[in-house]
Amino acid sequence: MTDTIAAIATPMVPCAIGVLRLSGPESAAAVDRVFTPFHGAPMSERPDRTLVYGALHDREGAVIDHCLCTVSRAPHSYTGEDTAELQCHGSPAALALGLEALFAAGARQAGPGEFTRRAFLNGKLDLTRAEAVADLIHAESPAAARQAAGQLGGALERAVDGVYDRLTDLCAHFHAVLDYPDEDIAPFEAEELAGALKEAAGELDRLAATYERGRLLNEGVPCAIVGRPNAGKSTLFNALLGYDRAIVTDIPGTTRDTVEERVELGGVLLRLIDTAGLREAEDTAERLGVERSRQAMERAELILAVMDGAGEFTREDREALELAASSGKPWIWIASKRDLTGPTALWTAGWEGNAPAATVSLSARTGEGLEALERAVSALYPAPPASQAGALLTNARQAEAAGRAREAVRRGAAALEAGMPPDAVVADVEEAMSALGELTGRTVREDVTARIFARFCVGK
């Protein structure tokens, strides 16, 4: 990392502010070649983190913008290297000219996530914090943003390091007793080791259990809206989105395919799937639509089962509800078209094992009753307590590493209980430490970090 990188750190669309950023040993020198302060010394002679107003030049020396510039020197910067930022007007053309000038001044184009990758390699961020940067950029709900911000603040790192440090103490004690038998070191007691392994296994169990919630925060809850044709599914879909995305007509069977969009409801990010009506299909296109509706229910993690509250309860209504109940997924029973009938008395059934999480009567046209649906969804997926914000596992890589650590600790505990010698048990403890090291980036492979940072945008 002896070269200097540069990138446009803001979207290439006309906007109020556009940012050019640099990192590397020649950052200040490169800025001196393209930026002239209106008053005083060049940026290479300015104090750190001081905003200076001046002119930005293209590679030919022509002025292309009046902007602000700041430098931060190693190690007190985001990447741990010398860095600089030019805060310009958000003209894509001007930013492109400014970037070309920086290349001519000795910088090269940064790769995706290269600034954050340098921060990781320079010890400014562990891998969980680096991943939180990408999560925060892509957060689509307040809960996801709070989780990412907490993780960026080190909540997950601290939780993992707490277990790692205790396992390190166990290994250090064992090797001290083994390597220095003549020293006055307390013996390695099996009972002490068993208690420590039990405590570590419990913490790893609790950590692994956070993955499902963390995954749903980031990815959203797949939510299928199902029911017979003309029950009001597409009208509800459009009402939740706030605009007309699905076609709505009085003709049953208008929706022939699944339509998917994301929406926040009750603080929960839902990946809504509007489906074709469930009934005996009358033609090939509708039959394919019904089959895709069933597939959508299978991959959904929440089902909104909609019936026409203004009509009679039909066999198709009952079959749709029974499908929702037999899915094993949480589901909410909705009586639509309340504006035509008033509150509807929902059919009561002796559900076996999977009753609806809530029953809601609403009008998607007027919005009456949507607040009740919002509360029902929020109750199913409550926001993590403030004390847990940032301490959730949020991706499969983290969950897999935590799972391997947990299994290694469990094997160690089982080996100890079976009477195996301490050195065999410590081998499992060291394997658990290695897995936790992969989680935080202590021992992660180069190909893994390359894959992680590849999902970042250029400029971050």
Side-chain angles (χ1 to χ4, degrees), residues 228 231 307-313 335-342 344:
R228 65 175 172 84
M307 60 170 276
D308 181 353
E312 294 184 2
F313 187 82
S336 67
K337 307 182 183 180
R338 178 171 174 169
D339 54 311
L340 302 179
T341 63
T344 303

Side-chain angles (χ1 to χ4, degrees), residues 54-94:
L56 176 65
H57 306 268
D58 66 14
R59 61 191 305 163
E60 306 300 330
V63 174
I64 55 175
D65 198 1
H66 291 178
C67 63
L68 295 169
C69 185
T70 183
V71 295
S72 297
R73 294 174 177 82
H76 305 296
S77 70
Y78 177 74
T79 63
E81 305 172 331
D82 288 355
T83 63
E85 280 197 359
L86 292 154
Q87 300 175 14
C88 312
H89 294 94
S91 160

Side-chain angles (χ1 to χ4, degrees), residues 96-439:
L97 288 171
L99 186 61
E100 289 177 5
L102 290 172
F103 293 160
R108 68 162 174 84
Q109 174 66 58
E114 190 168 1
F115 290 92
T116 303
R117 185 172 187 173
R118 289 188 175 204
F120 165 66
L121 294 175
N122 288 323
K124 304 296 287 186
L125 301 171
D126 86 315
L127 203 52
T128 65
R129 294 195 197 207
E131 288 175 313
V133 172
D135 288 345
L136 188 55
I137 291 171
H138 294 102
E140 296 184 61
S141 69
R146 284 191 288 269
Q147 159 61 27
Q151 189 171 319
L152 182 58
L156 181 56
E157 178 188 15
R158 289 189 293 272
V160 174
D161 281 353
V163 181
Y164 186 93
D165 290 345
R166 280 189 286 279
L167 296 180
T168 300
D169 289 342
L170 283 178
C171 288
H173 187 184
F174 170 78
H175 288 294
V177 171
L178 185 67
D179 296 340
Y180 304 100
D182 297 331
E183 298 293 330
D184 188 19
I185 300 174
F188 200 67
E189 300 291 345
E191 184 176 342
E192 175 192 358
L193 179 57
L197 291 177
K198 181 178 180 181
E199 181 181 354
E203 291 191 36
L204 290 171
D205 282 341
R206 288 188 290 275
L207 183 64
T210 68
Y211 172 56
E212 188 63 20
R213 179 57 178 151
R215 179 182 66 84
L216 294 178
L217 273 180
N218 272 10
E219 299 177 5
V221 180
C223 175
I225 305 176
V226 303
R228 65 175 172 84
N230 212 27
K233 302 183 300 299
S234 294
T235 304
L236 175 61
F237 182 80
N238 290 340
L240 293 177
L241 291 180
Y243 64 94
D244 290 343
R245 172 67 174 84
I247 297 173
V248 176
T249 74
D250 293 332
I251 303 170
T254 300
T255 302
R256 296 296 185 96
D257 201 353
T258 56
V259 182
E260 301 189 23
E261 291 288 348
R262 292 175 177 244
V263 66
E264 183 201 338
L265 186 67
V268 181
L269 178 63
L270 298 181
R271 288 158 46 197
L272 281 181
I273 310 167
D274 185 24
T275 66
L278 297 171
R279 68 172 178 180
E280 290 296 325
E282 298 178 357
D283 56 53
T284 301
E286 186 177 6
R287 189 158 47 250
L288 289 172
V290 171
E291 178 58 31
R292 291 187 180 184
S293 297
R294 294 178 184 273
Q295 293 171 1
M297 289 182 68
E298 290 176 3
R299 71 175 187 268
E301 299 189 38
L302 173 63
I303 296 172
L304 304 183
V306 182
M307 60 170 276
D308 181 353
E312 294 184 2
F313 187 82
T314 68
R315 175 181 59 82
E316 291 168 336
D317 283 322
R318 179 164 184 163
E319 289 174 353
L321 295 176
E322 288 175 345
L323 274 175
S326 63
S327 68
K329 317 285 180 61
W331 63 288
I332 297 173
W333 185 1
I334 297 172
S336 67
K337 307 182 183 180
R338 178 171 174 169
D339 54 311
L340 302 179
T341 63
T344 303
L346 296 175
W347 175 58
T348 57
W351 304 107
E352 295 182 3
N354 191 23
T359 56
V360 178
S361 174
L362 58 79
S363 168
R365 290 190 183 278
T366 68
E368 186 180 6
L370 288 179
E371 298 89 347
L373 178 59
E374 185 175 330
R375 289 193 297 270
V377 171
S378 181
L380 279 171
Y381 303 97
S387 60
Q388 199 179 23
L392 307 179
L393 301 176
T394 54
N395 62 54
R397 184 199 72 84
Q398 295 172 356
E400 190 274 338
R404 280 191 288 115
R406 177 179 60 180
E407 293 308 310
V409 169
R410 285 177 174 174
R411 283 197 306 275
L416 185 65
E417 188 175 350
M420 298 290 287
D423 56 339
V425 177
V426 169
D428 289 317
V429 172
E430 289 175 338
E431 184 178 337
M433 290 171 59
S434 176
L436 293 177
E438 290 180 32
L439 201 163

